[in-house]
Amino acid sequence: MRKELRFGFGLMAIIIAATAILMPAPSEWTTGHLGLLMLALVVVAIMLGFPTAFTLMGMGVIFAWLAYRSQNPDIATQQTLDLMVQRAFSVMTNDVLISIPLFVFMGYLVERANLIEKLFKSLHLAMSRLPGSLAIATLVTCAIFATATGIVGAVVTLMGLLALPAMLRAGYDVRLSAGVITAGGCLGILIPPSVMLIVYGATAGVSVVKLYAGAFFPGLMLAGLYMVYVIFMAKLRPDWAPPLPEAERHVPLPALATQVARQYGSRALPSLIAALKGPRNADVPMGNLLGQLGLALLPLIAVALALFAIHGSMTAVKVIDDVPAGLESFESSYASPSLAEPGSDGGLAEPPAEGGLGEPPLESGLSEPPQEAGLAEPPGAAPMAAEAPAPSLAEPGAETPAADDAVAAPTAPTSFWIACAICAVLLIAFYAILSFERLEIFKMLLSSFFPLAVLILSVLGTIVFGLATPTEAAAIGAFGGALLAAAYGQLNFGVIKESVFLTAKTSAMVCWLFVGSAIFSAAFALLGGQELVENFVLSMDLTPIQFMILAQCIIFILGWPLEWTEIIVIFMPIFVPLLAHFNIDPLFFGLLVAINLQTAFLSPPVAMSAFYLKGVAPSHVTLNQIFAGMLPFMGIQVIMLILLYLFPGIGLWLPNYLYN
């Protein structure tokens, strides 16, 4: 702990020294420099341990009063009080923030439903043949739990109670075990539903729905990179992640399954089909055989239904009921009285006499054009075929000649059939290795993962496909979490009381942070600090790439002494106004920030994930071991940040496909 304190005070000294160097002489100070001084003082006060929300509010009120006093000392106090009320009221009327307590309440209820323990055990057995299977099962459980809750502290604490003792008993290295749990728990701030994305969306004015859609694939890809690292280390250092002993891989079979396996073989699908065809056995009822066969065929049925639905959506004929607005205006102008009807020969007929356009008077000297010449085509126009029908816009639903021959039914692309072939190969491989033991593991996965999958799909599906707002989806999730807890017999007065208390505590923290951030941002803008920063950055004549690298490096460094909430509410209002100048999409910038801010949970001296884990870890696990285990995963986060910047489609493809 002494090292962390020395590091914190050293960093504070660096901040104060840098501020003193960058500040001009006191005689040259402007109100903008007071804003920079306020920013430095806020960072120092937070690092000294003062509460973030009240530090922001206190500093904001003091410096806002100074800003108003420099303009009109008589009404400075009244203006400052008005600013506090207006900013607090703006936070209270922000509809997006309503989803935060609902998502938090859902997470606490799911945590207390005891689904995660069953899911972890079944995943461990299912992945027992992979190198580092216990660590991979921990990462998969963390990713699923993060998707269901979005609360980093809850994921790290629960997995520290479940997975860390199991990995230590299995002989896993302490550093690898600690790194897996802390890094996997941080996925909760990236994988939707993430409270951090809601806070960023409310701060930067970005759609939370698009943020959720954009963060989905980067979150899964980051979890995949963690698994690749674990497998690599298990192969490179087998003593760090010993394989699961054969005795622990065994799953006891029910008596009926044992009898069928002994009579027809160990492979589940052929044996169940043969048992159905074979002679009836009183010890194996037909209902049991059909139930086991239905469970075995469930993956095939699910894949077939999914492919059928995708094929139907690809080959559906889209019928346009209304004429687009542009064509309606064209049609109305085409049919206006001032223009003539098209002739059968493709020329223009003589306008009607009552339309207001008559023949020119004979005394004007203009003679009537020859009847056989007609009206000439304008220069550069292509001649129209005489026999071609006149262009017209028919009414919707009107039949046109040869319409059936001209419009062909859409067909599925080649990539769909390639995907079907891949699914078929995977299903054949799955059923080739599906023994009765694996069928029992599959049933364990089904009973633990299926309820969570339904909850996740009901929440994220309604958000991503536009069926509900994030607030409405959060209400659905909270109700679903209550149903899960009730289904597993965990919904009682004590659980509800504790969940409500923790939800109120977390929500109050976030809301006070928003109030403090709003007052602080207003004071910073009143002092001219935002304008000073913008002028300074623009004077550097940076390219968009250079600005992006600079911003992410600053956020990465800030993640060492500060938490993600402080970085979002203090520094995002400074960065976001600069994005328009560099033509950077705030959605893409938010995805980069979401990955970058995970380092705030893994970087000392704050490193909240380390302290969450230390609180539930055995006494022989030290903070230094936890910090050492987190560093490789910080490097993986940096790699993911670079990949997302080089290939923006990882995060932007899904929101663009769904909403653009």
Short mmCIF file of all heavy atoms in Angstrom, two decimals, residues 72 124 141 261 287 412 473:
data_model
loop_
_atom_site.label_atom_id
_atom_site.label_comp_id
_atom_site.label_asym_id
_atom_site.label_seq_id
_atom_site.Cartn_x
_atom_site.Cartn_y
_atom_site.Cartn_z
N ASN A 72 -20.48 40.84 -12.85
CA ASN A 72 -21.36 41.73 -12.09
C ASN A 72 -21.37 41.25 -10.64
O ASN A 72 -22.08 40.30 -10.29
CB ASN A 72 -22.77 41.71 -12.68
CG ASN A 72 -23.65 42.80 -12.10
OD1 ASN A 72 -23.35 43.38 -11.05
ND2 ASN A 72 -24.74 43.11 -12.79
N HIS A 124 -17.27 -25.35 -16.94
CA HIS A 124 -15.99 -25.99 -16.63
C HIS A 124 -15.97 -27.43 -17.15
O HIS A 124 -14.97 -27.87 -17.73
CB HIS A 124 -15.76 -25.96 -15.12
CG HIS A 124 -14.43 -26.52 -14.71
ND1 HIS A 124 -14.19 -27.01 -13.45
CD2 HIS A 124 -13.28 -26.69 -15.41
CE1 HIS A 124 -12.95 -27.44 -13.39
NE2 HIS A 124 -12.38 -27.27 -14.56
N THR A 141 -18.04 -17.24 -18.24
CA THR A 141 -19.03 -16.90 -17.21
C THR A 141 -19.05 -15.40 -16.94
O THR A 141 -20.11 -14.80 -16.77
CB THR A 141 -18.72 -17.67 -15.92
OG1 THR A 141 -18.62 -19.07 -16.21
CG2 THR A 141 -19.82 -17.46 -14.90
N ALA A 261 -27.10 -46.75 -22.77
CA ALA A 261 -25.71 -46.72 -23.23
C ALA A 261 -25.09 -48.12 -23.20
O ALA A 261 -24.33 -48.48 -24.11
CB ALA A 261 -24.90 -45.76 -22.36
N GLY A 287 -41.67 -42.37 -22.88
CA GLY A 287 -41.63 -40.94 -22.62
C GLY A 287 -40.24 -40.44 -22.28
O GLY A 287 -39.82 -39.36 -22.70
N ALA A 412 -31.46 -16.05 -52.00
CA ALA A 412 -30.45 -15.91 -50.94
C ALA A 412 -29.07 -15.85 -51.56
O ALA A 412 -28.78 -16.53 -52.54
CB ALA A 412 -30.56 -17.09 -49.98
N ALA A 473 -36.64 -1.19 -21.82
CA ALA A 473 -35.97 -2.49 -21.78
C ALA A 473 -35.40 -2.77 -20.40
O ALA A 473 -35.39 -3.92 -19.95
CB ALA A 473 -34.86 -2.53 -22.84
#
